[in-house]
Amino acid sequence: IGMPCNDGDPCTTNDVYVANCQCEGTFLDNDSNSICDFEDCEPVLATQDNGNIASNTIDGDLNTYWEADAGALIEYCLEEVTVLNAISIAFHRGDEQTINFDLEVSVDGENWTSLLCDASSNGGTTDFQTLNFPPFQAKKIRIIGYGGSDDNLNALSEVKWYPATYLEAEDANIVTKWE
């Protein structure tokens, strides 16, 4: 009783085993509207953090980061369904270890499409690592982290996504308009 667990429900956090040996968590509803935060369109949410919060991944500062245990997920909600073709992730301590993750997208928050399964960061930089894809539609982007090669933690500094009208420039960290 009281030991951490994962009930598999993104609408709960701080999951622990309770008296009946069931894994249960606290319902996520930051705005008290009785709708799970993952069903609302919050800019960014995570199932867990270790004091370094999810919003750090969209604050434009590579020195802040979100950190959580293996198995945690972080989800981004775009204002509307958008055609994207690239996602960039800067991994905290990304020059010291690799981080294993899955990358999924959804247009409705219920049906998810896997863009990457069992992927790993390159382990060589704390700067953005850009993942290019054929154009796809998304309203939500979800990263499920499985921990780092040096520890059992996920740590993302920043996450960006690009509309299909933009492409990441070769060998540079600037975005150029596709003409």
Side-chain angles (χ1 to χ4, degrees):
I1 296 176
M3 294 295 297
C5 59
N6 182 350
D7 66 6
D9 184 352
C11 289
T12 63
T13 188
N14 300 319
D15 302 340
V16 295
Y17 287 105
V18 295
N20 61 3
C21 295
Q22 298 283 42
C23 181
E24 295 180 5
T26 304
F27 186 65
L28 288 168
D29 184 18
N30 289 327
D31 57 8
S32 301
N33 66 356
S34 299
I35 299 172
C36 167
D37 289 340
F38 282 93
E39 294 167 0
D40 280 347
C41 192
E42 301 291 329
V44 61
L45 294 168
T47 55
Q48 179 197 44
D49 68 62
N50 294 347
N52 295 297
I53 59 175
S55 61
N56 287 346
T57 65
I58 56 171
D59 66 1
D61 184 351
L62 287 173
N63 295 309
T64 63
Y65 58 96
W66 165 72
E67 184 177 70
D69 295 332
L73 68 85
I74 188 166
E75 183 177 293
Y76 302 89
C77 188
L78 290 62
E79 291 181 12
E80 60 188 14
V81 174
T82 306
V83 177
L84 304 174
N85 73 337
I87 296 173
S88 293
I89 305 171
F91 296 89
H92 178 68
R93 293 183 45 233
D95 58 341
E96 299 173 23
Q97 67 174 344
T98 59
I99 293 182
N100 301 314
F101 64 97
D102 294 343
L103 179 63
E104 302 175 341
V105 295
S106 175
V107 294
D108 60 11
E110 292 181 26
N111 300 295
W112 293 87
T113 300
S114 178
L115 293 180
L116 290 174
C117 183
D118 198 27
S120 293
S121 62
N122 69 21
T125 183
T126 57
D127 208 347
F128 286 100
Q129 297 175 45
T130 299
L131 310 163
N132 293 299
F133 303 96
F136 60 91
Q137 289 188 324
K139 181 169 174 75
K140 294 193 173 194
I141 300 167
R142 179 162 70 186
I143 300 168
I144 305 158
Y146 298 107
S149 55
D150 287 352
D151 54 36
N152 204 27
L153 298 173
N154 305 301
L156 309 180
S157 297
E158 288 290 316
V159 176
K160 297 180 183 179
W161 44 89
Y162 302 100
T165 55
Y166 288 82
L167 292 176
E168 186 76 8
E170 293 278 332
D171 300 319
N173 288 315
I174 57 172
V175 175
T176 57
K177 186 166 176 74
W178 179 260
E179 303 282 353

